[in-house]
């Protein structure tokens, strides 16, 4: 991580919005937005994710700082702007569960990293299958908090397979952190431990699919 | 020794005859009775019967009067959404806007039917077992309840952005939590689980905890007329061990994501450890795995007492089969007898 993004990281961990804004504005002054996102924001968000995963910072810091980044980026690169990545092929959902915070954080981090992404809110399996097919989603991010909801991914996978969908599924949320093999068991294609992992997974898949 | 003697001995940081086992099953009672989860929790008789059957089947060292977390939001007027294969969850937040806090009132325990059902359960269990088996009640901490009352994202924003409203919400929830915990103790509960995962370092940084949830816990626990066990519901807590000990709670639930040996070193003689079997992976444990997990936990924290073997969350998932629970029981019988000579 370079000096600027570690400065941004520091500003974000201490929730110093003013300092974060200043750093971002300075960078935007002499580089195109997407480059600033990739060089400044994404590494700082990755760092936040790593520290949380290691138990060194807390979720409240992740949430508040992902919102700060999302706000800053939305202002220079509004949703659906032409420079955004992933438009039309990427969706996120809370499956079966009623816990929306995990998805909210991943969404903020994805948007702050320059992606456009469909927000499906909360859905059950049948409704989700229909939407994925109708929207021709290529990459689906699923967040859950409860174990029964995590196990529903399996049902979703077979329903999608039966309809011939080739969508790639990345999952995340507490049950997957407690059981590191659960994502394979339910037939997901990847699992992310942090919201920043979602960015890395989607980048990788988009390259593979290109 | 009776279960009660075993548990009291370990809480006094002495070695009982054998490591106490809290097999915290709730939903499994419905399976015992062949009822849906919703039906099961609709009558105290069901839960009493379920708990008694689980007790004779697994010989756990406690009875568990916990229904489900959403119950407390139900008491505030919220909705509970049941499913067939897991614990129910709370529905739409009761506090849709932060201004709603200004008009919020604590529910009266004695006049709230869902709470009375739990109290009735405790009374009947007490009639059945007297002082031989501890009955464990549960209360969500005033600091953690708002996650369900208002939604997690808006609660985090409240903490950071509206300290006055936050204080008001804490005052209301404290009144409720103290009344609720004391009513359970009066009904016959031996101790109350104080569920406070919001305090966990997984969720908020320590400096913020000290200004918020820690203050709340100090005040609240001081007003509860009996022993409490603080539970972080599998959130991490090693960074706040001393702060938790300062609240004078008797025991602490340890996450499977942390090392029980480190906890033992940090708390010896001050806090009884409760944990830390991973309930989520327990679903597919074999007898061999059950043996290594249980022995591992006992080896790390059993010596000297101050240890109760349990899962790391305070509730064993519905998906965990009977065989696994029996295997855990069996390993404790074979390897849990003091003086634990086999431990290096
Ligand atoms: C705080 C907490 C509580 C609080 C508040 C819960 C809430 N949110 O409503 C209280 C005390 C009220 C509570 C109650 C319950 N809880 Co609870 N709780 C927790 C705890 C400690 C944190 C949960 C949380 O909200 N985290 C915040 C979210 C955002 O974190 P996260 O899901 O990990 O998401 C992060 C990453 O995983 C990732 N991520 C998330 N989604 C995605 C998606 C993708 C694609 C990617 C890449 C990444 C990603 O990014 C996020 C940010 O870094 C966890 C244990 C733990 N250590 O995590 C248990 C836990 C979630 N609870 C659990 C359970 C069962 C319950 C209850 C049902 C218990 C009961 N019988 O009543 C109730 C349900 C309450 C309700 N809402 O009705 C279980 C769920 C698993 C299971 N056994 O089924 C857990 C996992 C505990 C355990 N180890 O078993 N709980």
């Amino acid at each position: 991580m370079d000096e600027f993004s570690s400065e941004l990281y520091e500003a974000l961990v201490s929730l110093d919005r003013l300092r974060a804004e200043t750093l971002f504005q300075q960078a935007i002054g002499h580089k195109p937005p997407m480059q600033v996102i990739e060089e400044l924001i994404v590494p700082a968000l990755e760092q936040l994710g790593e520290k949380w995963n290691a138990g060194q910072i807390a979720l409240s810091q992740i949430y508040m700082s992902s919102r700060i980044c999302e706000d800053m980026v939305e202002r220079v690169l509004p949703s659906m702007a032409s420079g955004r990545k992933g438009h039309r092929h990427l969706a996120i959902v809370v499956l079966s569960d009623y816990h929306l915070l995990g998805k909210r954080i991943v969404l903020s981090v994805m948007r702050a990293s320059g992606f456009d992404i469909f927000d499906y809110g909360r859905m059950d399996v049948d409704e989700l299958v229909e939407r994925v097919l109708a929207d021709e989603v290529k990459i689906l991010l699923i967040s859950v908090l409860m174990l029964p909801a995590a196990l529903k991914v399996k049902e979703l996978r077979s329903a999608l397979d039966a309809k011939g969908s080739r969508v790639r599924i990345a999952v995340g949320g507490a049950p997957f952190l407690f059981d590191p093999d659960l994502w394979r068991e339910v037939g997901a294609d990847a699992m992310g431990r942090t919201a920043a992992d979602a960015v890395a997974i989607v980048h990788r898949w988009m390259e593979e699919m290109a | 020794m009776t279960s009660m003697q075993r548990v009291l001995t370990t809480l006094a940081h002495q070695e009982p005859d054998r490591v106490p086992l809290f097999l915290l099953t709730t939903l499994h009672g419905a399976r015992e009775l062949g009822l849906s989860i919703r039906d099961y929790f609709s009558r105290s008789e069901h839960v009493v019967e379920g708990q008694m059957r689980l007790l004779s089947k697994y010989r756990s060292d406690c009875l568990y009067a916990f229904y489900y977390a959403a119950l407390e939001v139900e008491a505030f007027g919220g909705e509970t959404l049941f499913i067939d294969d897991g614990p129910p969850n709370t529905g739409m937040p009761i506090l849709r806007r932060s201004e709603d806090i200004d008009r919020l009132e604590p529910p009266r325990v004695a006049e709230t039917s869902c709470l009375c059902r739990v109290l009735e359960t405790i009374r009947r269990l007490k009639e059945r077992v007297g002082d031989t088996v501890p009955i464990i009640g549960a209360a969500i901490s005033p600091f953690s309840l708002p996650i369900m009352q208002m939604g997690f994202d808006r609660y985090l924003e409240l903490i950071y952005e509206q300290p006055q409203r936050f204080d008001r919400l804490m005052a209301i929830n404290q009144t409720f939590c103290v009344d609720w915990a004391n009513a359970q103790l009066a009904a016959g509960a031996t101790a109350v689980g104080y569920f406070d995962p919001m305090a966990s370092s997984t969720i908020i940084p320590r400096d913020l905890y000290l200004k918020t949830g820690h203050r709340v816990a100090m005040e609240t626990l001081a007003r509860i007329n009996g022993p409490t066990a603080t539970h972080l519901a599998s959130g991490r807590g090693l960074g706040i061990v001393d702060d938790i000990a300062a609240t004078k709670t008797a025991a602490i639930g340890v996450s499977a994501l942390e090392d029980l040996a480190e906890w033992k070193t940090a708390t010896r003689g001050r806090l009884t450890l409760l944990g830390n079997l991973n309930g989520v992976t327990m679903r597919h444990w074999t007898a061999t795995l059950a043996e290594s997990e249980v022995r591992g936990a006992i080896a790390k924290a059993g010596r000297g007492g101050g240890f109760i073997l349990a899962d790391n969350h305070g509730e064993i998932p519905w998906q965990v089969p009977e065989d696994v629970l029996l295997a855990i029981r069996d390993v404790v019988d074979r390897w849990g007898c003091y003086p634990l000579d086999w431990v290096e």
Side-chain angles (χ1 to χ4, degrees):
Chain A
M1 210 169 42
D2 75 4
E3 196 185 316
F4 272 117
S5 48
S6 21
E7 260 190 86
L8 179 64
Y9 168 81
E10 291 302 332
L12 291 172
V13 181
S14 46
L15 303 185
D16 186 345
R17 184 184 274 269
L18 226 60
R19 179 94 197 101
E21 294 265 6
T22 311
L23 286 163
F24 184 67
Q25 288 309 327
Q26 275 171 5
I28 284 289
H30 51 267
K31 278 181 189 166
M34 194 52 89
Q35 195 181 338
V36 174
I37 289 170
E38 311 239 308
E39 289 172 7
L40 185 70
I41 305 235
V42 173
L45 289 171
E46 267 169 12
Q47 175 87 348
L48 284 159
E50 277 164 28
K51 295 272 181 185
W52 181 72
N53 195 27
Q56 289 164 0
I57 62 166
L59 184 94
S60 63
Q61 291 159 299
I62 298 274
Y63 172 63
M64 298 303 274
S65 58
S66 67
R67 294 296 299 267
I68 294 175
C69 291
E70 184 185 10
D71 282 356
M72 296 191 308
V73 170
E74 291 275 311
R75 257 177 282 136
V76 296
L77 205 66
S79 181
M80 303 298 163
S82 54
R84 289 247 172 192
K85 301 174 283 191
H87 182 38
R88 285 207 55 77
H89 299 301
L90 192 56
I92 186 166
V93 71
V94 172
L95 180 65
S96 158
D97 216 298
Y98 295 88
H99 301 89
L100 302 179
L101 182 62
K103 188 206 68 180
R104 184 79 201 85
I105 294 173
V106 177
L107 196 60
S108 293
V109 167
M110 288 294 290
R111 286 184 175 148
S113 305
F115 285 96
D116 254 331
I117 174 165
F118 280 127
D119 181 2
Y120 284 170
R122 179 220 168 261
M123 282 188 189
D124 286 312
V125 172
D126 292 348
E127 189 186 4
L128 182 57
V129 169
E130 269 174 42
R131 280 299 293 271
V132 166
L133 294 173
D135 293 343
E136 293 175 28
V137 171
K138 302 264 191 299
I139 295 174
L140 179 63
L141 305 180
I142 299 179
S143 178
V144 298
L145 195 70
M146 297 290 125
L147 177 60
L151 295 170
K152 283 253 167 17
V153 174
K154 200 172 196 166
E155 206 180 297
L156 175 79
R157 174 98 269 174
S158 16
L160 285 167
D161 284 352
K163 302 260 182 191
S165 165
R166 305 279 295 271
V167 61
R168 292 199 194 186
I169 297 176
V171 292
F176 297 106
L177 299 181
F178 280 87
D179 183 349
D181 297 325
L182 184 57
W183 66 277
R184 284 184 212 278
E185 178 189 337
V186 299
D189 300 294
M191 184 273 261
R193 303 185 68 83
T194 69
D197 283 353
V199 175
I201 293 168
V202 171
H203 266 148
R204 193 174 77 224
W205 285 353
M206 279 177 54
E207 269 170 33
E208 285 170 17
M209 286 168 165
Chain B
M1 278 187 165
T2 63
S3 290
M4 184 70 92
Q5 290 165 333
R6 188 170 298 130
V7 171
L8 292 179
T9 307
T10 212
L11 282 170
H13 299 275
Q14 282 163 8
E15 297 187 348
D17 57 346
R18 151 178 107 216
V19 171
L21 169 66
F22 279 11
L23 215 46
L24 299 173
T25 41
T26 56
L27 309 165
H28 289 77
R31 194 173 282 154
E32 289 295 321
L33 268 60
L35 294 172
S36 73
I37 291 168
R38 177 197 286 270
D39 276 356
Y40 178 68
F41 286 122
S42 68
R43 301 182 65 98
S44 60
E45 294 90 316
H46 294 164
V47 180
V48 172
E49 186 55 31
Q51 280 295 311
M52 291 307 295
R53 287 199 198 178
L54 293 167
L55 181 68
S56 64
K57 190 175 224 169
Y58 302 118
R59 292 179 293 109
S60 172
D61 285 301
C62 71
L63 288 159
Y64 199 27
F66 174 62
Y67 275 42
Y68 46 82
L71 184 99
E72 294 191 23
V73 185
E74 221 173 292
F76 275 90
E79 191 196 357
T80 297
L81 307 167
F82 282 88
I83 54 172
D84 296 332
D85 55 356
N89 282 179
T90 191
M92 286 290 283
I94 51 157
L95 301 169
R96 308 230 162 144
R97 301 168 311 143
S98 45
E99 298 85 73
D100 293 344
I101 294 170
D102 306 344
R103 286 179 297 276
L104 187 71
E105 295 286 339
R108 288 172 199 272
V109 173
E111 293 165 17
T112 310
S113 66
C114 63
L115 303 178
C116 289
R117 215 181 305 142
V118 176
L119 297 177
E120 188 56 28
T121 307
I122 296 174
R123 271 192 289 272
R124 286 167 189 249
L125 287 172
K126 183 75 183 172
E127 278 166 23
R128 302 279 272 269
V129 300
D131 288 332
T132 59
V133 182
I135 300 170
I136 310 300
I140 313 287
S141 84
F143 185 53
S144 294
L145 192 61
I147 305 175
M148 292 187 293
Q149 290 171 307
M150 58 191 304
F152 213 154
D153 51 350
R154 291 188 24 253
Y155 180 43
L156 288 173
E157 287 160 23
L158 182 85
I159 294 181
Y160 282 106
E161 289 160 8
Q162 299 193 51
Q164 281 181 343
R165 280 221 168 91
F166 167 76
D167 285 344
R168 177 170 156 78
L169 183 55
M170 287 307 103
I172 295 163
N173 285 353
Q174 259 179 306
T175 302
F176 171 66
C177 181
V178 169
D179 288 353
W180 173 223
N182 285 336
Q184 293 180 66
L185 290 164
T190 318
V192 176
Y194 181 78
F195 278 87
D196 199 11
M198 186 70 196
S200 151
S201 317
T202 301
I203 308 291
I204 58 163
R206 175 170 181 260
D207 53 351
L208 185 57
Y209 168 59
L210 290 180
K211 283 186 255 166
T212 55
H214 186 250
R215 180 171 53 78
V216 172
M218 294 290 284
E219 291 167 12
T220 309
L221 297 188
R223 288 163 59 196
I224 294 178
N225 310 322
T228 56
T230 298
H231 215 304
L232 304 177
S234 80
R236 295 175 203 257
L238 265 175
I240 51 171
V241 167
D242 295 333
D243 310 317
I244 292 171
T247 67
K248 303 217 165 61
T249 196
I252 174 77
V254 175
S255 173
L257 304 179
E258 288 181 325
D259 182 13
L260 207 47
E262 261 181 75
W263 268 94
K264 189 74 179 181
T265 312
T267 57
R268 198 182 300 273
R270 291 193 293 166
L271 285 168
T272 289
L273 302 179
L274 195 67
N276 71 343
L277 305 177
N278 185 335
V280 179
T281 53
M282 204 182 270
R283 229 159 33 92
H284 38 63
W285 282 7
T286 57
T288 321
L289 195 53
E291 174 148 341
S292 65
E293 294 288 323
V294 169
R295 283 188 58 181
I298 293 177
K300 284 180 173 179
R303 278 278 174 87
F307 175 58
I308 298 172
L309 183 72
D311 72 287
N312 84 139
H313 173 233
E315 180 188 49
I316 292 177
W318 168 256
Q319 284 75 12
V320 175
E322 190 178 308
D323 289 353
V324 175
L325 299 177
L326 289 169
I328 293 172
R329 171 71 273 172
D330 178 57
V331 185
V332 178
D333 288 340
R334 285 187 292 117
W335 293 95
C337 293
Y338 283 99
L340 301 179
D341 282 335
W342 57 272
V343 176
E344 294 288 296

